[in-house]
């Protein structure tokens, strides 16, 4: 297998090209700009369109248009830019259109900062725009996993006709790691609903999110929620690491999970029975998997690069059956493995 | 080994070639040989993983660091605070770490006139890595080097082979890149100054033993 050293953002971009993405619309913002820079160079060479829009709002609405025409389309941004896109994302969800959105998170709120953060968990999983809807949310923790999840996100978005998000962060976007790319996709599933010209051979298709009759709108939402149930039942993903005999289970996703894993290994070397549970799908949250992972645990420790957002899903998933403690750094500060180790030790001492 | 550095060493290369790690190693070795060293972080492209990260290491080794005004802060402004006069009057050896693409190298063009006037005092090093996705063939690496030369106006004078696969690097990884490095040298007519080996024990030409200073937070 050919191994290449790639910067996270470049790998996301190359993975999109290989997944058959033909349209990218974006607007620059640190720390995700390399995605756009890479696609500006290589999308045209691969028969696709790169367009730097006049704003994030324009970019997401171009994604809506391209997706409606049946093309694999993507946009990327970082936290403040994703907020700007939220209206368009809601319209895309309401129109049952597939697309991929990448958020390389940075510190917020407001303009915040350019250093890595995970403070958009709530936005991604609960409320990226108005209305009853969900996004598929993937939280990779390595450059290789970012590549794999971009491919999966395009496939799942098409299959379930909904937007999918890669929730990365500045650290994952900027760091270098070896990767292997999948083969290029040459054939994609047909999209009989696409508004790509009927050629007088079929009825014209309509893509729309406006319903004049409340019952029709309700039915469209109920249909969507039936699909969500299928996804919840079949498409959750998580990693459990040394959880079987663990007294303490650390929960973390993305870059924070890399830090947490180092801390878990250091704690294990000291004889503390601790494991790591890492959700890979944030929506749907891996409920079954987390209950399995912490069945022998006395307590959980949730670690995030935020003030604590995923912790609410952790508590809900285990129905508050065990104490869930929290440690986080925010505003672009990354917790160190030793800081997390300190929290694990504190918990371990109080459990004795 | 004795480095015999020229007054100015300009280090360029694709981001991910490992030029920042090489620059740090070169600075530390020079300082250990008793040189007075200044590292100039001219990277206006990368927001993270840059020479300015080594402030603490450099202080311990007595190496001066000149970094962009807002490096490693939340201000997304590629402002360069040092001027040509400071650059010229610096005592000892100067190592310049340039941003990892043609737009990064354009920052160097600001000092072009001064540097070209002192061409005999300058070593322009292009750092290459066979395992980088877009510089994986010698021809691609040379094309990339030309882009940087065109943007900066500064010709390169030596090649440093820093081929590595990050944490997966073995002696074999490095040894397998020798033919690639030779081909880059042949195509450019430039000498292979070093083959960097971060403690993998590779048997290679002009081996430059190095430490890995650029680390991810979970490796610290």
């Amino acid at each position: 297998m050919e191994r290449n050293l790639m910067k996270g953002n470049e790998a996301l971009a190359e993975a999109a090209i290989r997944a058959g993405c033909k349209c990218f619309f974006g607007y620059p913002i640190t720390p995700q700009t390399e995605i756009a820079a890479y696609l500006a160079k290589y999308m045209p060479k691969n028969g696709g369109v790169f367009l730097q829009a006049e704003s994030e709002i324009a970019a997401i609405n171009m994604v809506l248009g391209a997706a409606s025409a049946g093309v694999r389309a993507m946009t990327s941004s970082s936290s403040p830019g994703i907020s700007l896109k939220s209206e368009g994302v809601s319209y895309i969800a309401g129109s049952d259109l597939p697309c991929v959105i990448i958020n390389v998170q940075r510190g917020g709120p407001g303009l915040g900062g350019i250093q890595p953060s995970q403070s958009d968990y709530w936005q991604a999983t609960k409320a990226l725009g108005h209305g009853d809807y969900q996004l598929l949310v993937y939280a990779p923790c390595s450059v290789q996993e970012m590549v794999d999840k971009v491919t999966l996100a395009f496939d799942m978005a098409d299959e379930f006709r909904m937007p999918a998000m890669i929730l990365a962060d500045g650290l994952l976007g900027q760091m270098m790691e070896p990767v292997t790319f999948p083969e290029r996709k040459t054939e994609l599933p047909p999209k009989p609903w696409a508004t790509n010209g009927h050629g007088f051979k079929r009825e014209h298709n309509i893509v729309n999110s406006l319903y004049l009759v409340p019952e029709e709108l309700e039915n469209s939402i109920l249909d969507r929620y039936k699909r969500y149930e299928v996804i919840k039942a079949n498409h959750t993903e998580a990693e459990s690491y040394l959880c079987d005999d663990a007294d303490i289970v650390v929960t973390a996703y993305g870059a924070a999970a890399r830090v947490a894993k180092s801390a878990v290994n250091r704690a294990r070397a000291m004889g503390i029975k601790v494991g790591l549970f890492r959700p890979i799908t944030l929506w749907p949250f891996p409920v079954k998997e987390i209950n399995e992972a912490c069945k022998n645990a006395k307590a959980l420790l949730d670690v995030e690069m935020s003030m604590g957002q995923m912790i609410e899903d952790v508590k809900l998933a285990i129905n508050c059956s065990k104490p869930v403690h929290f440690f986080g750094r925010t505003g672009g500060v990354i917790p160190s493995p030793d800081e997390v180790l300190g929290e694990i030790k504190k918990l371990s001492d109080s459990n004795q | 080994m004795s480095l015999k550095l020229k007054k100015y060493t300009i280090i360029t290369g694709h981001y991910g070639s490992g030029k920042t790690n090489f620059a740090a190693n070169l600075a530390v070795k020079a300082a250990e040989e008793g040189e007075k060293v200044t590292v100039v972080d001219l990277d206006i492209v990368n927001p993270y993983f840059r020479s300015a990260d080594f402030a603490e290491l450099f202080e311990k080794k007595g190496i001066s660091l000149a970094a962009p005004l807002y490096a490693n802060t939340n201000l997304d402004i590629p402002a360069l605070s040092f001027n040509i006069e400071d650059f010229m009057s610096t005592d000892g050896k100067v190592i310049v770490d340039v941003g990892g693409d043609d737009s990064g190298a354009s920052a160097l063009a600001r000092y072009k006139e001064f540097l070209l006037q002192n061409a005999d005092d300058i070593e322009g090093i292009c750092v290459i890595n066979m395992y980088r996705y877009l510089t994986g063939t010698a021809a691609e690496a040379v094309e990339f080097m030309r882009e940087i030369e065109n943007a900066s106006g500064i010709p390169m004078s030596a090649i440093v082979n820093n081929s590595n696969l990050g944490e997966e690097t073995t002696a074999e990884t490095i040894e397998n890149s020798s033919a690639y490095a030779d081909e880059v040298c042949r195509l450019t007519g430039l000498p292979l100054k070093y083959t960097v080996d971060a403690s993998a024990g590779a048997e290679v030409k002009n081996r430059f033993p190095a430490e890995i200073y650029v680390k991810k937070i979970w490796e610290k």
Side-chain angles (χ1 to χ4, degrees):
Chain A
M1 268 194 307
E2 197 192 342
R3 299 291 274 166
N4 280 290
L5 198 59
M6 289 286 271
K7 193 172 198 172
N9 284 336
E10 294 174 322
L12 287 165
E14 177 61 26
I17 291 176
R18 286 177 185 243
C21 177
K22 288 290 180 215
C23 287
F24 177 88
F25 308 105
Y27 191 81
I29 182 170
T30 305
Q32 68 79 52
T33 299
E34 293 88 352
I35 299 175
Y38 188 96
L39 290 171
K41 267 189 188 165
Y42 297 101
M43 194 62 116
K45 290 184 183 170
N46 286 278
V49 171
F50 166 88
L51 201 147
Q52 182 173 318
E54 67 269 37
S55 71
E56 286 87 349
I57 298 169
I60 192 69
N61 285 299
M62 291 173 187
V63 168
L64 190 155
S68 170
V71 175
R72 283 197 164 178
M74 183 170 93
T75 188
S76 69
S77 192
S78 180
S79 309
I82 295 291
S83 294
L84 284 167
K85 291 181 194 293
S86 65
E87 181 195 55
V89 176
S90 175
Y91 277 61
I92 289 169
S95 308
D96 293 315
L97 291 174
C99 72
V100 172
I101 302 150
I102 296 174
N103 182 1
V104 183
Q105 297 172 88
R106 59 187 249 180
L111 208 44
I114 63 169
Q115 299 294 325
S117 168
Q118 295 183 324
S119 48
D120 303 345
Y121 180 94
W122 281 337
Q123 185 193 48
T125 59
K126 317 287 180 202
L128 187 48
H130 61 280
D132 278 322
Y133 78 91
Q134 297 285 353
L135 298 174
L136 289 158
V137 183
Y138 297 98
C141 80
S142 67
V143 177
Q144 182 66 58
E145 207 172 47
M146 291 209 286
V147 168
D148 299 342
K149 292 311 166 218
V150 165
T151 314
L152 180 66
F154 273 108
D155 288 345
M156 288 286 289
D158 273 357
E159 185 178 345
F160 292 96
R161 289 185 63 179
M162 62 190 288
M165 172 173 275
I166 305 292
L167 191 65
D169 62 69
L171 195 49
L172 294 169
Q174 292 295 326
M175 74 185 190
M176 293 275 177
E177 275 185 331
V179 291
T180 300
F181 284 105
E183 288 300 310
R184 253 163 229 276
K185 279 200 195 270
T186 47
E187 274 193 40
L188 298 175
K191 292 175 178 172
W193 47 262
T195 54
N196 52 357
H198 53 68
F200 302 105
K201 289 185 182 112
R202 59 160 169 78
E203 285 294 295
H204 66 273
N205 289 332
I206 296 173
V207 167
N208 170 45
S209 69
L210 172 67
Y211 292 84
L212 299 180
V213 182
E215 286 75 13
E216 282 179 19
L217 176 57
E218 186 185 43
N219 282 335
S220 79
I221 294 165
L222 292 175
D223 279 349
R224 210 168 288 132
Y225 272 69
K226 275 183 210 151
R227 276 180 278 150
Y228 293 167
E229 287 307 314
V230 175
I231 298 169
K232 281 195 212 171
N234 302 299
H235 296 286
T236 53
E237 209 181 318
E239 177 195 359
S240 294
Y241 177 71
L242 305 178
C243 287
D244 286 348
D245 67 340
D247 293 329
I248 301 163
V249 168
V250 179
T251 54
Y253 73 97
R258 298 288 290 269
V259 175
K261 198 176 226 177
S262 283
V264 163
N265 287 335
R266 287 172 205 186
R268 279 276 172 179
M270 301 165 72
I272 301 172
K273 286 186 178 173
V274 56
L276 170 70
F277 179 78
R278 177 174 74 89
I280 299 171
T281 52
L282 299 182
W283 191 91
F285 195 81
V287 174
K288 194 169 70 224
E289 293 88 341
I290 193 173
N291 280 290
E292 175 63 25
C294 70
K295 62 176 187 289
N296 296 319
K298 298 188 184 85
L300 281 71
L301 172 64
D302 181 63
V303 176
E304 299 180 52
M305 281 144 55
S306 75
M307 290 303 288
Q309 300 192 5
M310 183 176 78
I311 188 170
E312 296 195 351
D313 279 343
V314 170
K315 286 179 178 175
L316 274 174
I318 64 164
N319 209 5
C320 293
S321 56
K322 297 167 201 254
V324 183
H325 303 269
F326 178 74
F327 178 72
R329 297 294 302 266
T330 194
V333 182
I334 306 162
S336 73
D338 285 338
E339 281 179 319
V340 177
L341 178 62
E343 296 299 311
I344 293 171
K345 278 198 276 193
K346 255 196 271 174
L347 262 182
S348 172
D349 291 345
S350 64
N351 272 349
Q352 298 302 316
Chain B
M1 69 197 297
S2 177
L3 294 171
K4 299 196 191 75
L5 286 184
K6 288 198 175 178
K7 169 81 182 171
Y8 300 98
T9 304
I10 314 281
I11 302 176
T12 66
H14 203 305
Y15 47 68
S17 62
K19 68 184 164 48
T20 296
N21 197 60
F22 173 70
N25 274 278
L26 198 65
V28 168
K29 277 196 211 312
E32 284 168 357
E33 285 182 0
E35 298 273 17
K36 184 178 181 304
V37 183
T38 301
V39 172
V40 178
D41 178 351
L42 209 58
D43 192 338
I44 54 165
V45 177
N46 269 322
Y48 329 143
F49 301 115
R50 49 187 304 146
S51 277
D53 291 350
F54 308 130
E56 204 177 316
L57 169 75
F58 286 175
E59 199 180 326
K60 210 162 61 188
K61 299 280 179 184
I63 299 166
S64 313
L65 173 70
L69 205 49
Y70 303 114
N72 290 347
T73 72
N74 266 332
L75 258 187
D76 201 1
I77 297 175
L80 297 170
S81 52
F82 20 85
N83 58 39
I84 293 175
E85 288 71 32
D86 293 344
F87 210 63
M88 285 168 68
S89 59
T90 307
D91 298 332
K93 307 290 175 158
V94 179
I95 295 172
V96 186
D97 179 10
V98 182
D101 61 16
D102 47 349
S103 25
S106 64
L108 190 59
R110 171 172 166 183
Y111 308 99
K112 176 177 148 185
E113 211 167 302
F114 164 72
L115 290 170
L116 292 180
Q117 276 166 15
N118 297 276
D120 291 344
D121 293 332
I122 290 161
E123 176 94 286
I125 289 179
C126 180
V127 179
I128 57 171
N129 181 357
M130 181 174 93
Y131 301 98
R132 282 289 287 137
Y133 188 59
L134 299 166
T135 57
T137 67
E140 286 172 327
V142 173
E143 189 191 331
F144 192 80
M145 188 185 98
R146 298 297 180 218
E147 283 175 18
I148 287 180
E149 285 179 331
N150 288 340
S152 65
I154 308 295
M156 295 293 109
S157 54
I159 301 295
V160 165
N161 179 15
N162 188 42
S163 291
N164 75 89
L165 262 177
E167 48 273 51
E168 291 178 13
T169 309
T170 63
E172 213 187 350
T173 312
I174 302 170
E175 286 159 8
N176 287 345
S177 70
S178 291
Y180 160 83
D182 288 345
E183 180 63 7
V184 172
C185 292
R186 192 188 68 78
L187 288 172
T188 56
L190 300 180
L192 178 73
K193 194 170 176 68
Y194 299 121
T195 304
V196 181
D197 181 354
S199 37
E203 287 182 24
V204 284
K205 265 184 284 185
N206 304 338
R207 183 169 177 273
F208 181 90
E211 299 284 323
I212 299 174
Y213 294 124
V214 179
K215 284 195 170 150
K216 294 165 187 118
I217 188 164
W218 49 84
E219 296 168 341
K220 286 177 190 163

